[in-house]
Amino acid sequence: MINLLDIDLKTFQDQIAKSGHQPFRAKQLWRWLFKEEQTDFNKMTDLAKDFRLFLSNNYQLNFPKINFDHVSRDGTRKWLFDMGSNNAIETVFIPEKNRGTLCISSQVGCALECTFCSTGRQGFNRNLSQAEIIGQLWLANHLLSNDYDTSEHKPVTNVVMMGMGEPLANYDQVASSLKIMLDDKAYGLSRRRVTVSTSGLVPAIEKLKYDCPVSLAISLHAPNNKIRDEIVPINKKYPIEVLLDSCQSYLEEAPRDFITMEYVMLKDVNDQDQHAKELVDLVKNTPCKFNLIPFNPFPRSGYESSSRERILSFQKILMDSGIVTTIRKTRGDDIDAACGQLAGDVKDKTKRTLRLIQEGKR
Ligand code: SAH
Ligand code: SF4
């Protein structure tokens, strides 16, 4: 049996054509599956009976298993999905006035070892499949549909690949999932509403701009190579100048006119006025907006977040030079759904969650 969530539209079209079915059936099925959220082939009423039979004999739908589903006081909702072998990933939904953003994971763990990131500290376990990536979006929309008015659109209006893992290190599965998000027959999200966040895998950025030019967020975090080499080690392979060059060429292909630069505010590491001034000079040729992220502490991180005053002073320098700069609101604090806390200490937490489930407490 093939998991339908694991194949792309073209592959599915080829498979059904080989068995003598009309390729346009694939698009009809995509609509049932992603737009209507219908999982029962027999209820897909405009599909011919023999095609429905062919589907039931050859295909199934396997979604990630939910271990944990929790709503925070501010409405942020977090799911912990079981990834087998005592591993878990997290998906977070952040409701705002006119939009609902889903933060999706792309890997179990991460190999890139950024020093301030609890996922990086944990090491790499494995890549997620397309079914596990798009399954997060499918389930979130489905589980949220009771709480939101879905007559105009689904609860999730925006997707950010900012959960656990480095999306561009799992390129093929992430790119095929992004295509389903953008596809009119499936979710039909505009490229502006889908963002990939990367620590800077330059060759993959170069590919993405042709394959699927969604919005791009770069985890810059430092104004120079000396600091970035230390806190974002992939910088030693793709230093800032190379990264910024690829950002500029991305913008030439992509639909947006700016890149989002993420900048985690680490006390006494990268948060001085001098660093802000260096940044202004650094990005003078790169159309970008900055998003300053207060550091989310985790046990034994060795870092502290910059004070509110420090962050405001840093922001002012960037703003005064004409760079739009926002400060990320920390959401879902009470359920550890804030940035960089995603599945922090995941093994411990998963074990704890599994134990609670076994004990019947969840
Ligand atoms: N791997 C990708 C996407 C996942 S991380 C990337 O690095 O861009 C999403 C964002 O959270 C990144 O900007 C990351 O640097 C930031 N982040 C990681 N740990 C954090 C922490 N402890 N506090 C605040 N932001 C953090
Ligand atoms: Fe990986 Fe991103 Fe964390 Fe760096 S910040 S270790 S790239 S998840």
Side-chain angles (χ1 to χ4, degrees), residues 13 47 62 94 107 125 243 356:
Q13 281 169 335
L47 299 187
N62 283 335
I94 304 147
Q107 299 182 308
N125 189 282
L243 179 57
L356 291 174

Side-chain angles (χ1 to χ4, degrees), residues 110 112-114 117 120 165-166 199:
C110 180
L112 296 185
E113 301 186 327
C114 303
C117 172
E166 165 53 50
S199 57

Side-chain angles (χ1 to χ4, degrees), residues 34 64 76-81 83 88-94 100-110 119 126-142 144 154-170 173-182 187 189 193-198 214 217 262 328 337-343:
F34 296 109
T76 303
R77 187 154 166 187
K78 175 171 95 164
W79 296 276
L80 195 71
F81 290 103
M83 291 292 131
I89 49 129
E90 290 184 0
T91 307
V92 180
F93 177 71
I94 304 147
T101 303
L102 193 70
C103 179
I104 290 187
S105 294
S106 56
Q107 299 182 308
V108 182
C110 180
T119 306
R126 70 172 177 85
N127 281 329
L128 298 190
S129 64
Q130 178 187 296
E132 289 164 336
I133 298 170
I134 208 67
Q136 296 172 62
L137 176 57
W138 197 98
L139 284 168
N141 270 322
H142 195 65
L144 290 161
K154 288 186 184 291
V156 177
T157 60
N158 293 56
V159 170
V160 292
M161 301 290 307
M162 290 187 186
M164 194 188 225
E166 165 53 50
L168 296 187
N170 181 14
Q173 303 299 313
V174 166
S176 65
S177 305
L178 293 172
K179 285 179 186 159
I180 296 177
M181 294 175 200
L182 302 183
Y187 289 102
L189 296 175
R193 292 179 177 270
V194 177
T195 302
V196 165
S197 171
T198 177
V214 293
E262 296 163 280
R328 186 174 293 171
C339 237
Q341 285 175 326
L342 293 183

Side-chain angles (χ1 to χ4, degrees), residues 73-310:
R73 280 190 295 275
D74 64 10
T76 303
R77 187 154 166 187
K78 175 171 95 164
W79 296 276
L80 195 71
F81 290 103
D82 182 5
M83 291 292 131
S85 322
N86 249 343
N87 283 309
I89 49 129
E90 290 184 0
T91 307
V92 180
F93 177 71
I94 304 147
E96 283 170 298
K97 209 161 167 229
N98 295 317
R99 62 179 177 188
T101 303
L102 193 70
C103 179
I104 290 187
S105 294
S106 56
Q107 299 182 308
V108 182
C110 180
L112 296 185
E113 301 186 327
C114 303
T115 51
F116 52 85
C117 172
S118 67
T119 306
R121 291 279 178 98
Q122 214 175 280
F124 175 67
N125 189 282
R126 70 172 177 85
N127 281 329
L128 298 190
S129 64
Q130 178 187 296
E132 289 164 336
I133 298 170
I134 208 67
Q136 296 172 62
L137 176 57
W138 197 98
L139 284 168
N141 270 322
H142 195 65
L143 294 166
L144 290 161
S145 58
N146 287 338
D147 303 342
Y148 292 86
D149 172 11
T150 53
S151 53
E152 304 257 315
H153 54 75
K154 288 186 184 291
V156 177
T157 60
N158 293 56
V159 170
V160 292
M161 301 290 307
M162 290 187 186
M164 194 188 225
E166 165 53 50
L168 296 187
N170 181 14
Y171 187 86
D172 291 345
Q173 303 299 313
V174 166
S176 65
S177 305
L178 293 172
K179 285 179 186 159
I180 296 177
M181 294 175 200
L182 302 183
D183 192 329
D184 277 344
K185 270 91 61 196
Y187 289 102
L189 296 175
S190 94
R191 295 174 197 285
R192 289 167 193 278
R193 292 179 177 270
V194 177
T195 302
V196 165
S197 171
T198 177
S199 57
L201 296 185
V202 169
I205 297 174
E206 296 293 310
K207 258 175 100 179
L208 190 72
K209 77 178 176 206
Y210 299 116
D211 284 357
C212 202
V214 293
S215 301
L216 193 63
I218 298 287
S219 289
L220 189 62
H221 303 320
N224 57 50
N225 284 322
K226 187 162 179 288
I227 300 177
R228 198 162 191 269
D229 277 352
E230 236 169 74
I231 62 179
V232 183
I234 192 70
N235 194 65
K236 290 181 199 142
K237 200 159 178 195
Y238 307 113
I240 293 181
E241 334 54 272
V242 176
L243 179 57
L244 291 181
D245 272 356
S246 92
C247 287
Q248 282 157 22
S249 86
Y250 193 91
L251 287 178
E252 283 159 23
E253 292 295 324
R256 296 216 74 168
D257 35 28
F258 65 89
I259 302 267
T260 301
M261 297 291 180
E262 296 163 280
Y263 198 96
V264 63
M265 296 297 289
L266 301 168
K267 185 178 173 197
D268 298 334
V269 175
N270 63 355
D271 67 346
Q272 300 301 301
D273 286 352
Q274 183 49 40
H275 296 140
K277 289 177 194 153
E278 250 182 281
L279 276 178
V280 170
D281 192 45
L282 185 71
V283 301
K284 61 177 183 291
N285 297 321
T286 313
C288 62
K289 292 184 178 177
F290 268 76
N291 191 6
L292 304 179
I293 315 174
F295 170 66
N296 287 309
F298 56 90
R300 298 176 299 282
S301 74
Y303 292 108
E304 280 176 59
S305 181
S306 313
S307 66
R308 185 80 193 156
E309 298 73 60
R310 184 91 298 280

